[in-house]
Amino acid sequence: MNVPEMDWSPLWLTMQLAGVTVIVLLLVGTPIAWWLAFTRSRFRTLVEAVVALPIVLPPTVLGFYLLTALGPHGLIGGAWKDLTGSALSFTFTGLVIASTLYSLPFVVQPLHGAFEAVGKKPLEAAWSLGASKLDAFFTVASPMAVRGYLSAVVLGFAHTLGEFGVVLMVGGNIPGVTKVLSIAIYDHVEVLEYTQAHFLSAVLLIFSFLVLTIVYAVNRCLPIHVS
Amino acid sequence: MNRLDARFSIDYPGFRFDVACAVPLEETTAVFGSSGSGKTTLLRCIAGLTRVPSGFLQFDQAVWQDDAQGIFLPVEQRRVGMVFQEARLFPHLTVTQNLKYGMKRSNPSLRRIDFAHVSELLELESLFERRVSHLSGGEQQRVAIGRALLTSPQLLLMDEPLASLDQQRKKEILPFIQRLNRELRIPVLYVSHDLQEILPLANHVVLLKEGKVAATGPIQEVFSRLDLPGLVESNMVGAILETRIVEHEPQFGLTRVEFLGQSLFLPQQALPPGAPLRVQILSRDVSLVVGDPPATSSVLNTLEATIVEVRKSPGDQYAVEVKLDVGCPLLAMITRKSFYQLRLRPGQKVHASFKAVALS
């Protein structure tokens, strides 16, 4: 079988999207996970439910709401347009926002669990040793929660790689801008280019398998076992 | 000498915590009480780990908490060392990194405790390269104590540091803790429900009961009070004497110590002559003699005593507790029959004979 003429840009775009999304997710998800792990606020359950919503919601529903919100007349899109001159729907930035919301539970939940496992006790010890709250977070809580971070990064990345419905609704199918791997595969199949579809699918399959294998191997070797 | 002035009150469901005490922090002060008496809550309030909504706390001249003025100094700025019931070492760091965690964060100009000194005092050198998870419970607790000390704290707070250890390990660690204040001169606040930990260690006691201060004062006085039934097993503690070793008599297996100019004999001790030794007398080991002491007696220790107070033993209806003054308080537990035969009354001069036991 000859290697067909392939457009690899969807693959590159997908990696970019997943990478940026994971970084944003860590910045947004860590404080939420921390708050959920340690708060005694009565709003905790509510926030937990909101964070978990993307797991149960059909991606098209989430995508539809996001399209409305990010569009030129939407609440966020409109404001963004006033600020920058263009809306957020059908742009890469729009995709990042959508992916962040879509993959939020996959980052927040492992971190939440990890922070809860670390608990208050080592933090109190660190504070009593003169560490500020932020210092203790970086030098005690985070290293002890390293497995949680690893799971969060992998799940967040992998989940973003595989998204389809939300991207289609919010990003459409613009080559080089919003046409990610899953949509490219769908396109190929629609016009019966099975060879190309096979190639892209195989790349995604092998990549996902490799990443998960490495993660599980690393996880096994990590020195910290927080019970 | 440092002083601590603390006033905290808060209502928990089914428990009112209402503590007010002013304690001179001289060497070791014990916070003593049964479980659920609020000892740990008090220590956590002092550390700044628990914040009760209306509290006041002053250490020497520094106000650490005064909710009337909206003052609350966060724990990391109080410069207190904290040793918890569990060691709480950081599992991702080595023993050395654990030890240096607080030291690195302390103000260099206020550091007065040396790494080498603490390592030697707590015998930590052999542990440096070990993984935290491979240390025994006692070793972990020694590292935790060292880690707290290396911050050069103004006050060391210890929350039942031996409670999670077995009897053998307790005996191993206790001497280390005793050496702390002698060598490093850091005031220690030591929480425990175990009299056997407190007796060798503490100079002062804050006695808590059901969230309130029941008594506070020098250990000899608090544990010889007759009006605290049930709080202390007072038939256990007769007296705590501060003595000094004079000489050993190896042919008899005895050590002679000096107490207020008088000699007492104990089973032979390992310490050299001149060393201070805290001696405990159990109240049931004390017998009283009215008039001159017999010239010949198998009991080696006799002190002149004045009767201060007499009352019925709350635990045993046929026993009487007699509080004596031998230069410090001494409690004697005698039978009701002896009490009537000897016609004891406050102010009377008697002789107290007893067996003395060294504390650790």
Side-chain angles (χ1 to χ4, degrees):
Chain A
M1 190 168 70
N2 293 324
V3 178
E5 276 298 302
M6 291 278 307
D7 177 11
W8 292 106
S9 74
L11 179 65
W12 173 232
L13 186 72
T14 304
M15 293 297 160
Q16 269 185 309
L17 177 64
V20 173
T21 301
V22 163
I23 293 169
V24 174
L25 272 173
L26 284 181
L27 293 176
V28 176
T30 306
I32 297 176
W34 185 266
W35 185 82
L36 286 174
F38 294 114
T39 188
R40 269 181 277 174
S41 161
R42 57 207 165 95
F43 295 113
R44 199 188 104 148
T45 333
L46 214 62
V47 173
E48 258 183 311
V50 169
V51 168
L53 266 183
I55 298 179
V56 292
L57 225 48
T60 41
V61 172
L62 188 66
F64 171 67
Y65 280 122
L66 280 168
L67 183 66
T68 330
L70 299 179
H73 305 296
L75 202 64
I76 305 166
W80 186 263
K81 194 178 178 188
D82 293 341
L83 217 70
T84 63
S86 63
L88 280 167
S89 46
F90 309 111
T91 65
F92 183 75
T93 315
L95 273 195
V96 171
I97 296 175
S99 308
T100 302
L101 278 172
Y102 181 55
S103 300
L104 191 65
F106 294 84
V107 169
V108 169
Q109 287 182 351
L111 285 177
H112 177 187
F115 291 147
E116 254 177 11
V118 170
K120 263 268 169 68
K121 290 183 170 184
L123 294 172
E124 288 181 348
W127 302 334
S128 77
L129 291 165
S132 69
K133 306 287 187 286
L134 205 62
D135 186 357
F137 167 75
F138 281 113
T139 57
V140 173
S142 292
M144 284 179 75
V146 67
R147 282 158 179 262
Y149 277 101
L150 199 66
S151 302
V153 167
V154 170
L155 289 175
F157 193 87
H159 193 244
T160 309
L161 280 190
E163 69 179 294
F164 181 80
V166 177
V167 175
L168 199 65
M169 298 290 278
V170 177
N173 189 0
I174 305 167
V177 182
T178 61
K179 186 177 180 174
V180 297
L181 206 56
S182 54
I183 290 173
I185 294 170
Y186 180 75
D187 270 5
H188 285 308
V189 173
E190 265 208 318
V191 295
L192 301 175
E193 293 170 346
Y194 273 39
T195 320
Q196 285 88 339
H198 262 302
F199 262 94
L200 289 180
S201 299
V203 167
L204 201 57
L205 180 71
I206 294 167
F207 177 81
S208 306
F209 175 71
L210 278 180
V211 167
L212 289 177
T213 309
I214 292 170
V215 164
Y216 285 124
V218 169
N219 210 5
R220 195 170 278 270
C221 300
L222 278 178
I224 315 293
H225 298 263
V226 178
S227 53
Chain B
M1 189 168 56
N2 303 109
R3 258 191 96 72
L4 195 71
D5 202 337
R7 290 197 296 277
F8 299 109
S9 68
I10 184 171
D11 280 307
Y12 291 110
F15 178 69
R16 179 163 171 73
F17 179 72
D18 186 8
V19 161
C21 57
V23 207
L25 292 172
E26 185 187 9
E27 299 188 10
T28 301
T29 303
V31 179
F32 180 74
S34 53
S35 39
S37 60
K39 307 183 296 288
T40 296
T41 305
L42 175 61
L43 205 70
R44 289 179 59 88
C45 285
I46 292 170
L49 290 171
T50 294
R51 182 174 185 176
V52 301
S54 67
F56 177 84
L57 180 66
Q58 184 170 353
F59 177 80
D60 284 341
Q61 301 305 312
V63 176
W64 285 353
Q65 179 175 356
D66 184 358
D67 289 292
Q69 294 186 59
I71 297 172
F72 185 83
L73 197 66
V75 45
E76 63 267 24
Q77 288 171 30
R78 294 191 179 192
R79 294 184 53 228
V80 293
M82 184 93 191
V83 178
F84 300 90
Q85 195 166 332
E86 338 78 50
R88 300 195 188 185
L89 299 181
F90 303 133
H92 59 295
L93 302 179
T94 64
V95 168
T96 313
Q97 286 171 324
N98 264 285
L99 287 169
K100 290 190 172 169
Y101 186 92
M103 192 175 91
K104 280 196 292 191
R105 285 163 175 80
S106 65
N107 183 342
S109 62
L110 297 171
R111 274 181 216 157
R112 46 194 197 86
I113 291 177
D114 181 52
F115 187 82
H117 189 191
V118 168
S119 308
E120 185 210 316
L121 198 70
L122 294 166
E123 290 169 18
L124 297 172
E125 285 96 339
S126 59
L127 309 178
F128 286 164
E129 302 307 319
R130 303 259 295 275
R131 293 252 302 264
V132 164
S133 54
H134 293 178
L135 301 179
S136 72
E139 288 167 338
Q140 289 195 17
Q141 203 55 290
R142 258 153 62 205
V143 175
I145 294 169
R147 181 176 73 169
L149 285 173
L150 284 167
T151 61
S152 300
Q154 315 180 68
L155 173 62
L156 185 63
L157 304 172
M158 306 184 99
D159 185 10
E160 309 229 18
L162 306 182
S164 59
L165 305 176
D166 57 46
Q167 215 55 37
Q168 186 53 37
R169 298 264 176 271
K170 275 185 196 182
K171 277 197 186 126
E172 274 172 42
I173 304 250
L174 210 54
F176 289 118
I177 298 178
Q178 278 179 296
R179 273 153 72 185
L180 293 183
N181 352 96
R182 275 186 218 141
E183 299 210 13
L184 300 175
R185 310 210 155 276
I186 295 172
V188 177
L189 212 56
Y190 189 101
V191 162
S192 182
H193 67 276
D194 186 346
L195 204 55
Q196 292 314 313
E197 286 174 31
I198 282 176
L199 290 180
L201 280 177
N203 302 76
H204 246 80
V205 179
V206 177
L207 196 64
L208 291 186
K209 188 192 181 186
E210 289 162 11
K212 288 175 191 58
V213 176
T216 171
I219 188 165
Q220 291 86 353
E221 284 170 27
V222 170
F223 285 133
S224 60
R225 273 174 64 172
L226 294 180
D227 60 340
L228 300 169
L231 283 182
V232 186
E233 298 163 65
S234 53
N235 57 335
M236 291 287 298
V237 191
I240 298 149
L241 311 180
E242 306 288 356
T243 71
R244 192 164 290 278
I245 291 181
V246 180
E247 60 175 357
H248 301 297
E249 295 182 1
Q251 69 273 33
F252 299 119
L254 292 175
T255 291
R256 183 159 73 89
V257 300
E258 178 253 306
F259 171 71
L260 299 176
Q262 300 167 83
S263 286
L264 301 176
F265 291 90
L266 282 82
Q268 190 163 344
Q269 302 296 308
L271 295 162
L277 183 70
R278 185 174 274 195
V279 168
Q280 179 186 5
I281 301 165
L282 302 178
S283 57
R284 56 183 152 81
D285 288 345
V286 180
S287 55
L288 301 180
V289 180
V290 177
D292 291 331
T296 51
S297 164
S298 68
V299 182
L300 289 167
N301 299 315
T302 300
L303 291 175
E304 280 178 28
T306 311
I307 294 177
V308 179
E309 199 181 337
V310 178
R311 58 171 275 156
K312 270 191 273 181
S313 170
D316 179 353
Q317 57 168 324
Y318 299 114
V320 174
E321 290 176 347
V322 182
K323 183 171 178 175
L324 304 145
D325 181 6
V326 291
C328 84
L330 169 67
L331 281 192
M333 179 109 104
I334 59 172
T335 61
R336 221 163 142 185
K337 179 166 181 160
S338 317
F339 173 71
Y340 284 121
Q341 284 181 344
L342 294 173
R343 298 167 200 272
L344 298 178
R345 57 185 194 287
Q348 194 176 354
K349 301 260 187 232
V350 294
H351 284 91
S353 300
F354 51 85
K355 187 173 88 182
V357 187
L359 278 167
S360 75

